[in-house]
Amino acid sequence: GTCETSCPEAERARRVERDDLDLLERGPNGRVIRRYARNLTASAATGENASDGSSGVRTLEACEDTCAWLLARFGCDEWNAKASTQHQAEFLWDRLRGVRQDLSIQNCFVEDAPSALRVAALLERMVTHTLETTFALRRLETQTQTFNEALHTEQLGKTFGMLLRLYADLGDAVDLSRMTEFFSLWLCLRIDATREISAELRKFNRRDVIRSPKVQFAIKCHRAYASGNGIGFFRLIESSECSHLHEICLEKYFTSVRLETLRAMNVANNSTTMSFDELARIVRLEEAGHAEQLVQSCNLRCDDVGVAFRLAPFRYPDARERKAASSLRWSAAILANALERVSLA
């Protein structure tokens, strides 16, 4: 990389001239940050590709400075006064995506192990930040805002892919605890993809990593999910093996686990009424009222006390219905206080 600032001069000058700055880039304390560009190529590293608005890829030092500056300001008083949490997150995701692009196009990790370790540390910070902010935005979505989680999950996957390739190239140079933690997080994000998980385990040819407690925890979560063992799945999440970041990765599966557990109970249980309090405990919902609305959205027979199984066919709820969508977004009690642990600064 040749650019030693947070934004190449050509892009900065063009955007300032066109008044094309994000509101978080304005003001005396603002800083113009290079946007993600789909058509940036390796030729830009030498400044040859000026026609696409880039005068050079940022150096590793510039990428580190940009990443640190962005993460330090996310959720600060100045930014909170300018923009919503969702706007801040969208801004950071785009700019950090540009940082990842600069890191990948330089290929600095091919021959330079010390630089590769610095790149890995940057990618780890990006992964952690993305997981925590996505978790926070899920809570905002239950109130007034929406966001494209599928897009961010896709970008998170690309960041993980680059990080895991670095781990494979660096081998023993990477701290084992870091490698096992982030590999286990990657597996937890994909516990519904049996073939992909098997391929990842075969490709990541490190027995010490595969046998580590964190990776074994992810494998047990996959087995519980794949076998429909909802009770076992939630017990794993409640266990001491599960970290806060593991909870965030696994939370997106809570809805499908609850639904499959409810469907299985409608087949296996008798018609004796089960109280909503007991059902909420089994499927890890915070309140009996949440369990009642989930039962109603699945077309099961219920009264003011509880649900009677086997008296009506189970129906998967339509998430487009407001009532069903609301009940499906409720978080388990085990995560009720997790938002307080999310660092937004």
Side-chain angles (χ1 to χ4, degrees), residues 176 180-181 184 207-217:
L176 181 62
T180 57
E181 177 181 5
S184 66
R207 290 189 177 183
D208 52 347
V209 174
I210 303 302
R211 294 175 178 176
S212 67
K214 292 179 180 179
V215 174
Q216 287 298 309
F217 166 78

Side-chain angles (χ1 to χ4, degrees), residues 140-240:
L140 296 179
E141 186 188 20
T142 62
Q143 300 172 21
T144 59
Q145 303 186 46
T146 60
F147 72 105
N148 189 347
E149 184 171 352
L151 173 63
H152 301 312
T153 299
E154 176 187 348
Q155 294 307 314
L156 181 61
K158 292 180 179 179
T159 306
F160 262 115
M162 185 175 173
L163 178 61
L164 295 180
R165 286 193 298 272
L166 270 176
Y167 285 163
D169 291 341
L170 288 167
D172 293 336
V174 181
D175 180 74
L176 181 62
S177 64
R178 287 168 53 193
M179 189 183 299
T180 57
E181 177 181 5
F182 283 91
F183 186 54
S184 66
L185 292 175
W186 175 233
L187 295 178
C188 284
L189 278 174
R190 310 171 69 208
I191 61 170
D192 58 341
T194 301
R195 290 184 179 180
E196 287 79 358
I197 285 182
S198 299
E200 290 288 350
L201 293 174
R202 288 194 302 269
K203 184 170 59 176
F204 210 78
N205 190 22
R206 288 282 302 271
R207 290 189 177 183
D208 52 347
V209 174
I210 303 302
R211 294 175 178 176
S212 67
K214 292 179 180 179
V215 174
Q216 287 298 309
F217 166 78
I219 293 174
K220 285 187 285 188
C221 288
H222 164 68
R223 289 172 178 167
Y225 180 87
S227 64
N229 184 3
I231 294 177
F233 176 82
F234 283 119
R235 282 177 178 170
L236 283 168
I237 295 176
E238 292 174 330
S239 71
S240 60

Side-chain angles (χ1 to χ4, degrees), residues 80-325:
N80 287 338
K82 288 183 176 181
S84 66
T85 299
Q86 180 178 348
H87 182 96
Q88 294 179 48
E90 297 282 357
F91 175 78
L92 258 73
W93 281 332
D94 177 81
R95 299 320 191 252
L96 291 176
R97 188 180 181 187
V99 170
R100 176 173 56 80
Q101 183 182 48
D102 281 353
L103 294 175
S104 63
I105 203 170
Q106 294 180 67
N107 290 323
C108 64
F109 49 85
V110 175
E111 299 176 349
D112 187 353
S115 295
L117 289 172
R118 292 164 62 188
V119 172
L122 272 180
L123 295 172
E124 289 167 355
R125 292 190 68 186
M126 292 181 196
V127 166
T128 301
H129 170 80
T130 302
L131 289 175
E132 291 182 340
T133 51
T134 300
F135 176 76
L137 287 180
R138 285 175 187 157
R139 271 84 200 137
L140 296 179
E141 186 188 20
T142 62
Q143 300 172 21
T144 59
Q145 303 186 46
T146 60
F147 72 105
N148 189 347
E149 184 171 352
L151 173 63
H152 301 312
T153 299
E154 176 187 348
Q155 294 307 314
L156 181 61
K158 292 180 179 179
T159 306
F160 262 115
M162 185 175 173
L163 178 61
L164 295 180
R165 286 193 298 272
L166 270 176
Y167 285 163
D169 291 341
L170 288 167
D172 293 336
V174 181
D175 180 74
L176 181 62
S177 64
R178 287 168 53 193
M179 189 183 299
T180 57
E181 177 181 5
F182 283 91
F183 186 54
S184 66
L185 292 175
W186 175 233
L187 295 178
C188 284
L189 278 174
R190 310 171 69 208
I191 61 170
D192 58 341
T194 301
R195 290 184 179 180
E196 287 79 358
I197 285 182
S198 299
E200 290 288 350
L201 293 174
R202 288 194 302 269
K203 184 170 59 176
F204 210 78
N205 190 22
R206 288 282 302 271
R207 290 189 177 183
D208 52 347
V209 174
I210 303 302
R211 294 175 178 176
S212 67
K214 292 179 180 179
V215 174
Q216 287 298 309
F217 166 78
I219 293 174
K220 285 187 285 188
C221 288
H222 164 68
R223 289 172 178 167
Y225 180 87
S227 64
N229 184 3
I231 294 177
F233 176 82
F234 283 119
R235 282 177 178 170
L236 283 168
I237 295 176
E238 292 174 330
S239 71
S240 60
E241 299 177 84
C242 186
S243 71
H244 171 51
L245 291 178
H246 286 122
E247 291 176 359
I248 295 176
C249 293
L250 293 166
E251 187 195 17
K252 70 175 184 177
Y253 298 104
F254 285 8
T255 293
S256 59
V257 171
R258 288 178 182 134
L259 291 176
E260 290 306 317
T261 300
L262 198 60
R263 184 186 64 81
M265 292 173 69
N266 194 48
V267 173
N269 288 25
N270 58 40
S271 59
T272 303
T273 300
M274 174 182 289
S275 70
F276 292 123
D277 285 320
E278 176 64 11
L279 180 61
R281 185 192 66 79
I282 293 174
V283 297
R284 301 322 195 257
L285 284 167
E286 297 177 9
E287 300 176 8
H290 298 173
E292 181 178 4
Q293 290 199 24
L294 182 60
V295 164
Q296 292 173 348
S297 68
C298 293
N299 193 45
L300 299 184
R301 189 74 59 83
C302 62
D303 53 28
D304 295 337
V305 178
V307 56
F309 293 110
R310 306 187 73 170
L311 298 181
F314 176 88
R315 183 192 69 185
Y316 287 101
D318 186 350
R320 293 172 297 181
E321 299 176 6
R322 175 178 297 183
K323 186 175 182 180

